[in-house]
Amino acid sequence: MPPPMKQCEYSQITTQSSSPMESPKKKKIPWRKWEVFPGRNKFYCDGRIIMARQTGVFYLTLVLIVVTSGLFFAFDCPYLAVNITPVIPAVAGVLFFFVMGTLLRTSFSDPGVLPRATQDEAADLERQIDTANGSSSGGGYRTPPRTKEVIINGQTVKLKYCFTCKIFRPPRASHCSLCDNCVERFDHHCPWVGNCVGKRNYRFFYMFILSLSFLTVFIFAFVITHVILRSQKTGFLTALKDSPASALEAVVCFFSVWSILGLSGFHTYLISSNQTTNEDIKGSWSNKRSKDNYNPYSYGNIFTNCCAALCGPLPPSLIDRRGTIQPDTPQPVAPPNGITTYGATQSQSNMARVLYNFIAEPGNDELTVKEGEIITIANRDVGGGWCEATNAQGVTGLVPTDYVEMISESGGNTVPLWPGGTAQSTATNFAAFDPFSSTQTNIADDPWSNWNTSSAGNWSTNNAGNSANAWNAVNWPTNTESSNTQKNSTADNWDTTGYGHPQAYQGPGTADDDEWDDDWDETKPSPNILPRTESESAETSLARGAPRNSSVKMSLNRFPTFSKHGPEVYLLSKQPLKTTEKITIYKGEVGPVWEYPASSLSCVVADPKKGSKMYGLKSYIEYQVTPNNTNRAVNHRYKHFDWLYERLLIKFGSAIPIPSLPDKQVTGRFEEEFIKMRMERLQGWMNRMCHHPVISNSEVFQLFITYRDEKEWKLGKRKTEKDDIIGVMVFSTVEPPVEDIGLLEAEQKVELFSKFTKAMDDGVKELLNVGQEHWKRCTGALPKEYQKIGKALQNLSQVFTTSGYEGEPILTDPLTEAGKTYEEIANLFAEQPKKDLHYLMETNQEYKGLLGCFPDIIGVHKGAIEKAKEGDKLVALNKITPQEKNTMVNRIGTMSYTFQAEMNHFHSNRIYDYNSVIQHYLQQQVEFYEMIAAKLKQALTHFTVQQ
């Protein structure tokens, strides 16, 4: 039986899959799908039984129930049957068998595991999301949050994207971090039953704990009755001697009955209100979140809720555990020498070089490898970011794909291994594993060439893969507030050719989503920019609450919660929203500028610590953020930074570029190198936010850095999430100079900056490309050349020592020193990019992300100008009044002032940043070459001139 593969894509188990064979001559035996199941589960009885890997507590449960009940039947029931009634052992037997039956049914059943998307489905979904969201920030910085919103019984529910299973989870589903599966109607993972509790086994779990409560109380009551009856005849001590097990049974039942009864009562409450443990712990339907928050799944009747949970039809399992895999082509297994012999040779791209040290976890079929080690890839398509490899000792196991690079047929070049199991064809493209890079897109998708192209923004869940079919048939009403795209918005589809430097952290690309499970399940009512008016179309009215079709629409643009509204919402609004927010712009030496605070704000992100929640089931890294205005540290996890990013994007995204955060998560997230790299990038992101006068003084940012306790943090979050001044309506808070700006001048400013940012984007990409190539040469080719020179000189010195000439050391000693000097120079070249090029690349990457935000911003302004140009036509058609037309032109002036103020802020920061980083780069280069010159001069002093 082949070993279970870790984290492979379940839905890749098709008739096209290949499997290792014990021998190329043996008959191919088809695998069962459970043998390569991607989750962390154990299977028994040829896949008929599925359990979690951690089953120790389950066996303890069995022992406690069986031993306690057995002692009761052996020591108490005979006496009770004779002296009271034989019904007692009969009732105890029925309860015992019912408890055992429901326990085993709960433990051995599929809880409702959702199949993972196939590789093609996941790639297609990723590509469409990236195309719609844009890849402006590159691979090292995250795109906007991937979410869908559906309306269930009038309540907006946010669906999360699972980075492990590559699907959008159905409502109430969650990813179990212990079993590594998405589970429908996930309640909790119960170690006492050794399985997750979900849609398919919750009723059996509830009947188990309820019947166990009755059994425990029953045994405890009649054990006490037995002891009392015996004590009346023979005395208490004699009674205990006659039935010594009764005392043990009483103690076990007494200390366990309280927790069992409490658990039964808690789940009775959950069933009566149609909630899950997961929802109750998070307070998903608590009134504390919002006055309008309620449970959309409740039928409003306790009896109906109980019937729905306990008596409804049992849904079928979505995973075909016992299905077979028929491999079409044989795939060899590497022999003990590590070289594949069946249809392949060592030169046929099966050999790989290890990039980083990797220590295997016991029991996970992993392989420990060291940096620089050569291994043989036996199976590239395991999935989930893993490949199967064999080392030189013949040991086979799983290794992260991003920890290795394939050795090409030419012998010298190496090619990174893609997560899907294929090697990238071009050896010079590091996009597969470089955190700065991302998938290449066609230049035809460049947003600069199609400003007014509207984004579709609609994504049917049918395209999300077969995993969605089981729940896609339900008519989930769509939420057009977050589903329909902005009329004049443009997709942020920058050409994202991979840039970056190989020394940046390159962990596996499979993101773990443990840190996403808290707040993304929250129901957040979509903020309405304007109150509903009579002019709204019937289609819009229908879409607000009524079901229209079976597909769930997903917001794919950069402004997910206000995508319905274009710039005309601000231009034509009659009554400004009531707010105390004011953004002041005044005329400076360079033109319109923001009003900067008297003292600059700065924050320090430091002291990362590992924490846990839910009794240690989930772990996370927490950072201390210390602002200089309070000098009081506040603790934040990455998901809090992500929340801040989303709120800033929603509020200011139409006027101010909000660069994306660093990558959310990769496997190995607790490794010191990754924590350091992510903290450095979070620090850079916070610096840029702090230095912006509008963002740093905003209410949401001040809440993030100055909250005093958990209560203030949660209240502040709810308040900011209800903010109506978002999107284009942020222009209504701007107080511009008195002078008006005409349409022609506003249009000229937009065109000028549009051309500049496009040209700068090309320049930044070129510098990133050159920098990446230079980094590769400094860490690859150049050190090797200098090492070759050093080795050659030392080898020549050793040859000279064999001459037997007595005066030979006069030449061989300095020659050896010269060789060692060149080896030292090789090490200097390999380490130098971390000292100079790293900062230049990081700065360019930040600006690449910033530049990626401007297409949307410029699109908003161009759309507003085009709308204003139509003013005379609209007046002639009596659609607007002349006064409204003048108001539109005046508001275009306000938008233009805002645009110019942000332009000048961008230019000021750009000059400062590039001035600083280029100075640093040149200074480091000077010191580097001076160090090399000093070493060469030192080597020269060892040589003497012979006459």
Side-chain angles (χ1 to χ4, degrees):
M1 180 183 299
M5 299 292 103
K6 179 179 181 179
Q7 293 185 355
C8 69
E9 297 295 338
Y10 172 75
S11 48
Q12 294 176 6
I13 304 171
T14 64
T15 57
Q16 302 298 322
S17 301
S18 58
S19 59
M21 299 179 298
E22 295 179 0
S23 170
K25 296 183 180 180
K26 287 188 177 182
K27 183 180 178 181
K28 294 177 291 184
I29 301 175
W31 286 7
R32 295 284 189 181
K33 292 184 179 180
W34 64 265
E35 296 180 273
V36 288
F37 187 74
R40 302 191 189 103
N41 296 93
K42 289 181 179 180
F43 293 87
Y44 305 93
C45 299
D46 196 20
R48 293 177 175 85
I49 295 175
I50 176 174
M51 297 185 69
R53 285 189 181 178
Q54 299 82 5
T55 54
V57 182
F58 165 71
Y59 294 124
L60 176 61
T61 306
L62 280 179
V63 169
L64 287 175
I65 296 175
V66 172
V67 171
T68 305
S69 300
L71 293 176
F72 178 72
F73 288 125
F75 289 90
D76 299 283
C77 284
Y79 183 87
L80 295 172
V82 173
N83 291 274
I84 300 180
T85 174
V87 175
I88 294 176
V91 172
V94 171
L95 285 175
F96 172 74
F97 284 109
F98 189 84
V99 167
M100 292 301 298
T102 53
L103 170 61
L104 297 179
R105 183 64 187 269
T106 304
S107 302
F108 296 165
S109 298
D110 168 21
V113 176
L114 293 169
R116 302 186 182 187
T118 64
Q119 186 176 359
D120 292 338
E121 291 167 345
D124 184 63
L125 181 58
E126 292 278 349
R127 182 168 54 254
Q128 298 204 32
I129 293 176
D130 290 341
T131 300
N133 274 337
S135 304
S136 58
S137 56
Y141 292 83
R142 309 187 52 238
T143 56
R146 297 176 178 181
T147 58
K148 293 181 182 181
E149 286 186 353
V150 296
I151 296 178
I152 300 176
N153 294 328
Q155 182 81 321
T156 302
V157 178
K158 182 171 288 188
L159 309 183
K160 297 189 301 180
Y161 179 80
C162 179
F163 286 88
T164 301
C165 301
K166 304 297 182 184
I167 62 172
F168 281 93
R169 299 175 193 152
R172 315 186 85 177
S174 186
H175 192 92
C176 176
S177 58
L178 292 178
C179 295
D180 200 28
N181 296 315
C182 279
V183 179
E184 274 194 288
R185 199 185 182 277
F186 178 77
D187 191 85
H188 68 290
H189 181 94
C190 182
W192 295 99
V193 301
N195 204 349
C196 287
V197 178
K199 186 175 183 178
R200 297 193 70 253
N201 64 351
Y202 180 77
R203 64 182 63 182
F204 304 110
F205 172 79
Y206 176 72
M207 287 188 287
F208 162 65
I209 59 174
L210 189 64
S211 59
L212 183 61
S213 300
F214 286 118
L215 179 62
T216 306
V217 172
F218 187 88
I219 292 177
F220 181 74
F222 282 102
V223 164
I224 298 300
T225 302
H226 177 206
V227 173
I228 292 175
L229 291 177
R230 280 187 178 273
S231 300
Q232 291 176 350
K233 296 181 179 179
T234 62
F236 181 72
L237 294 179
T238 305
L240 292 181
K241 289 180 180 180
D242 294 337
S243 180
S246 298
L248 178 61
E249 298 167 41
V251 170
V252 172
C253 291
F254 178 80
F255 285 104
S256 60
V257 70
W258 309 110
S259 58
I260 298 173
L261 287 174
L263 189 62
S264 300
F266 173 68
H267 280 276
T268 301
Y269 154 73
L270 292 180
I271 288 178
S272 65
S273 58
N274 205 338
Q275 291 190 79
T276 65
T277 303
N278 194 38
E279 293 167 347
D280 185 76
I281 290 176
K282 295 177 181 178
S284 300
W285 317 123
S286 173
N287 291 331
K288 295 180 180 179
R289 290 180 180 265
S290 171
K291 294 181 179 178
D292 300 327
N293 195 31
Y294 59 90
N295 183 3
Y297 306 108
S298 175
Y299 293 92
N301 182 280
I302 294 178
F303 179 78
T304 308
N305 286 337
C306 293
C307 289
L310 302 177
C311 305
L314 189 66
S317 176
L318 300 180
I319 53 174
D320 182 18
R321 305 189 297 274
R322 303 190 66 247
T324 58
I325 309 168
Q326 293 290 345
D328 290 340
T329 56
Q331 180 173 346
V333 172
N337 60 5
I339 301 176
T340 303
T341 58
Y342 178 59
T345 65
Q346 187 172 351
S347 63
Q348 289 182 303
S349 300
N350 285 325
M351 308 303 293
R353 179 177 290 105
V354 179
L355 298 174
Y356 310 99
N357 294 334
F358 175 74
I359 301 176
E361 295 182 3
N364 287 343
D365 301 316
E366 297 171 352
L367 178 66
T368 299
V369 291
K370 296 182 179 180
E371 181 179 355
E373 181 180 353
I374 303 300
I375 58 177
T376 302
I377 303 300
N379 186 0
R380 304 182 187 181
D381 202 15
V382 172
W386 296 84
C387 63
E388 186 179 12
T390 304
N391 61 16
Q393 289 73 37
V395 180
T396 300
L398 300 176
V399 178
T401 55
D402 288 355
Y403 277 52
V404 301
E405 58 182 0
M406 301 300 298
I407 301 176
S408 66
E409 296 183 16
S410 59
N413 296 330
T414 56
V415 182
L417 185 66
W418 283 79
T422 58
Q424 191 175 354
S425 59
T426 305
T428 57
N429 192 343
F430 277 68
F433 56 90
D434 197 325
F436 284 118
S437 61
S438 62
T439 308
Q440 272 191 323
T441 58
N442 195 313
I443 193 66
D445 294 330
D446 197 329
W448 299 101
S449 61
N450 51 8
W451 284 106
N452 294 319
T453 303
S454 61
S455 174
N458 294 338
W459 174 251
S460 172
T461 51
N462 292 329
N463 294 331
N466 296 334
S467 58
N469 293 338
W471 61 280
N472 191 40
V474 183
N475 280 339
W476 303 115
T478 59
N479 182 6
T480 57
E481 288 287 326
S482 61
S483 300
N484 300 330
T485 54
Q486 187 172 346
K487 182 177 181 180
N488 292 310
S489 66
T490 54
D492 191 9
N493 301 333
W494 289 76
D495 179 15
T496 54
T497 305
Y499 302 106
H501 46 84
Q503 290 300 324
Y505 178 79
Q506 301 161 359
T510 303
D512 186 289
D513 63 344
D514 284 353
E515 294 188 4
W516 286 70
D517 280 341
D518 280 354
D519 289 346
W520 291 106
D521 280 329
E522 296 179 7
T523 56
K524 301 176 183 178
S526 300
N528 295 323
I529 297 180
L530 289 177
R532 183 177 175 185
T533 62
E534 295 179 0
S535 62
E536 290 188 352
S537 64
E539 180 182 354
T540 304
S541 175
L542 173 64
R544 287 183 181 272
R548 293 166 55 187
N549 50 50
S550 61
S551 64
V552 180
K553 296 184 179 180
M554 182 179 70
S555 173
L556 296 177
N557 65 325
R558 297 182 66 253
F559 312 129
T561 59
F562 56 92
S563 56
K564 177 178 179 292
H565 307 291
E568 64 273 7
V569 172
Y570 165 65
L571 297 177
L572 298 176
S573 61
K574 296 181 179 180
Q575 295 182 351
L577 297 175
K578 296 180 181 180
T579 179
T580 58
E581 298 180 54
K582 294 298 177 184
I583 301 175
T584 305
I585 298 175
Y586 66 93
K587 281 288 191 72
E589 296 180 0
V590 296
V593 293
W594 302 114
E595 182 181 12
Y596 287 83
S599 58
S600 61
L601 178 67
S602 64
C603 292
V604 176
V605 181
D607 196 20
K609 294 181 179 179
K610 184 177 180 180
S612 62
K613 63 177 183 177
M614 296 182 69
Y615 305 102
L617 295 181
K618 291 187 178 181
S619 300
Y620 55 85
I621 299 296
E622 194 172 53
Y623 303 88
Q624 277 194 352
V625 180
T626 308
N628 64 346
N629 58 349
T630 63
N631 288 324
R632 180 172 51 82
V634 294
N635 295 322
H636 282 297
R637 293 164 54 187
Y638 180 89
K639 71 168 191 173
H640 300 156
F641 285 93
D642 188 72
W643 175 86
L644 174 64
Y645 161 71
E646 183 189 17
R647 299 317 306 175
L648 292 176
L649 182 66
I650 290 173
K651 185 171 181 65
F652 298 110
S654 295
I656 299 172
I658 309 296
S660 295
L661 287 171
D663 272 338
K664 171 192 175 288
Q665 200 82 345
V666 295
T667 303
R669 63 192 184 280
F670 299 130
E671 293 180 2
E672 183 178 354
E673 183 181 1
F674 171 72
I675 294 174
K676 180 181 178 181
M677 177 64 71
R678 188 164 74 171
M679 185 175 68
E680 177 183 330
R681 292 179 176 174
L682 287 175
Q683 179 69 71
W685 189 85
M686 286 295 293
N687 288 343
R688 198 160 293 280
M689 297 297 101
C690 288
H691 294 162
H692 198 288
V694 177
I695 293 177
S696 61
N697 288 325
S698 64
E699 184 177 0
V700 59
F701 192 80
Q702 287 295 321
L703 167 70
F704 185 80
I705 62 176
T706 61
Y707 77 93
R708 289 184 293 270
D709 51 39
E710 192 70 17
K711 181 179 180 180
E712 182 179 354
W713 167 247
K714 290 184 177 180
L715 290 175
K717 284 178 62 179
R718 294 174 192 136
K719 180 180 178 182
T720 55
E721 287 166 0
K722 296 177 182 178
D723 189 4
D724 290 332
I725 310 298
I726 57 176
V728 293
M729 292 307 294
V730 75
F731 295 112
S732 64
T733 64
V734 174
E735 292 185 345
V738 179
E739 302 176 14
D740 292 332
I741 295 180
L743 284 179
L744 180 60
E745 182 182 355
E747 187 174 18
Q748 289 174 347
K749 293 292 185 181
V750 171
E751 288 294 339
L752 177 63
F753 193 67
S754 172
K755 293 178 180 178
F756 171 79
T757 49
K758 173 56 178 169
M760 182 178 174
D761 181 63
D762 294 337
V764 166
K765 290 177 180 178
E766 181 182 6
L767 185 56
L768 282 170
N769 191 25
V770 172
Q772 179 183 352
E773 293 298 323
H774 181 62
W775 190 294
K776 288 165 58 181
R777 290 183 66 249
C778 288
T779 57
L782 283 177
K784 290 179 181 179
E785 291 298 324
Y786 281 101
Q787 286 175 355
K788 289 179 180 179
I789 294 174
K791 289 292 184 183
L793 291 176
Q794 293 181 69
N795 290 338
L796 183 61
S797 175
Q798 290 180 356
V799 171
F800 288 163
T801 57
T802 62
S803 66
Y805 182 64
E806 293 184 358
E808 199 68 51
I810 298 176
L811 174 61
T812 57
D813 290 347
L815 198 59
T816 301
E817 290 298 324
K820 293 180 179 179
T821 299
Y822 274 96
E823 289 183 339
E824 293 176 0
I825 291 175
N827 294 332
L828 290 177
F829 267 102
E831 294 296 324
Q832 184 60 24
K834 297 179 183 179
K835 300 178 181 179
D836 51 21
L837 191 57
H838 169 74
Y839 300 100
L840 180 60
M841 299 288 281
E842 284 286 311
T843 301
N844 271 275
Q845 194 64 41
E846 286 186 28
Y847 272 90
K848 184 170 179 286
L850 276 173
L851 290 168
C853 300
F854 280 112
D856 287 312
I857 295 175
I858 294 175
V860 170
H861 287 272
K862 284 194 171 186
I865 293 172
E866 291 299 323
K867 182 65 66 174
K869 286 181 178 180
E870 299 175 0
D872 293 332
K873 182 179 179 181
L874 295 175
V875 171
L877 296 174
N878 293 324
K879 291 187 176 181
I880 63 173
T881 64
Q883 183 180 0
E884 289 176 332
K885 180 205 168 185
N886 294 334
T887 301
M888 287 175 60
V889 175
N890 291 335
R891 290 179 177 176
I892 290 291
T894 300
M895 294 179 65
S896 182
Y897 271 119
T898 305
F899 184 73
Q900 293 180 58
E902 185 55 36
M903 284 170 46
N904 293 328
H905 176 78
F906 175 81
H907 288 316
S908 176
N909 284 344
R910 172 180 56 82
I911 292 172
Y912 175 83
D913 290 339
Y914 276 95
N915 196 350
S916 301
V917 73
I918 296 299
Q919 284 188 42
H920 173 80
Y921 179 76
L922 294 177
Q923 181 64 35
Q924 291 294 322
Q925 285 279 291
V926 169
E927 295 178 2
F928 171 64
Y929 285 108
E930 286 178 348
M931 187 182 303
I932 291 178
K935 287 186 175 294
L936 292 175
K937 289 178 180 179
Q938 180 66 26
L940 182 61
T941 59
H942 292 88
F943 288 87
T944 58
V945 179
Q946 298 292 327
Q947 298 295 332

